Amino acid sequence: MTLVTQPEITQLIKGLCDDVDSVPDYLIEGNNYQLPTTEWVLGNYSQDLCWQLQKLGMDQYVPEVNCCRQYAHFAMFIASRCQLGAARNEATPHPLAFGFVALIAQNGGGHAINCFVTRENDLLALKFYEPQTQQLVELTPFERTHIQLILI
């Protein structure tokens, strides 16, 4: 199991912005977190999330009915439940480094997505995930500097 610490996650978040005044508000509750892999997020986890969304009739995003916050909160919950199920045989499972992000989108409207911390080429990376489509997303420079909140 690969772990990341709260200070390491804090450094990743602070590294999102060149300007110290632009660092988003964040809350990292735990001391140590288990790192998901990008393959797990895009594979088993996304399949589980899609299945759960289908059961709720939310597999197709309908702006008049659904809210992006609902998807991002639900995705965070499902990630923690998937991780908990996988860690049941461990003595002290650590929470998953998977969180909620509120931001101002490029078009000027508010949006909510997810993020996760992973390791790529021995370096920690903060990735962004769109729970409505179960895909990774790249934030624009505008969006990176307009993240309002990160919860992990």
Side-chain angles (χ1 to χ4, degrees):
M1 168 175 40
T2 304
L3 296 179
V4 63
T5 65
Q6 183 187 59
E8 290 173 311
I9 295 174
T10 299
Q11 277 305 115
L12 280 176
I13 292 171
K14 288 181 177 181
L16 287 171
C17 305
D18 295 331
D19 180 9
V20 170
D21 294 331
S22 301
V23 174
D25 289 333
Y26 59 91
L27 176 61
I28 306 167
E29 294 181 304
N31 293 323
N32 295 298
Y33 288 83
Q34 184 175 351
L35 293 179
T37 64
T38 301
E39 294 75 26
W40 178 81
V41 171
L42 294 177
N44 291 341
Y45 166 71
S46 288
Q47 290 172 1
D48 288 344
L49 176 62
C50 187
W51 182 76
Q52 294 289 343
L53 289 170
Q54 286 173 347
K55 285 176 56 176
L56 295 171
M58 293 174 62
D59 51 319
Q60 298 297 317
Y61 181 76
V62 180
E64 299 80 24
V65 177
N66 304 121
C67 170
C68 56
R69 267 190 345 244
Q70 293 169 334
Y71 280 79
H73 282 296
F74 187 67
M76 189 173 165
F77 171 75
I78 294 299
S80 70
R81 298 306 299 167
C82 289
Q83 185 268 340
L84 182 63
R88 284 212 171 114
N89 294 329
E90 296 180 18
T92 57
H94 297 279
L96 195 63
F98 191 98
F100 174 90
V101 179
L103 58 91
I104 304 299
Q106 187 70 40
N107 66 9
H111 191 48
I113 59 174
N114 297 103
C115 67
F116 64 97
V117 178
T118 191
R119 190 172 298 281
E120 292 183 342
N121 303 321
D122 292 328
L123 297 174
L124 290 176
L126 183 64
K127 302 264 188 156
F128 296 95
Y129 179 80
E130 177 57 75
Q132 297 169 21
T133 60
Q134 297 89 49
Q135 296 178 342
L136 293 181
V137 292
E138 288 290 329
L139 299 186
T140 66
F142 175 87
E143 291 167 336
R144 289 177 87 80
T145 59
H146 286 81
I147 295 173
Q148 305 298 300
L149 176 65
I150 297 178
L151 301 173
I152 295 182

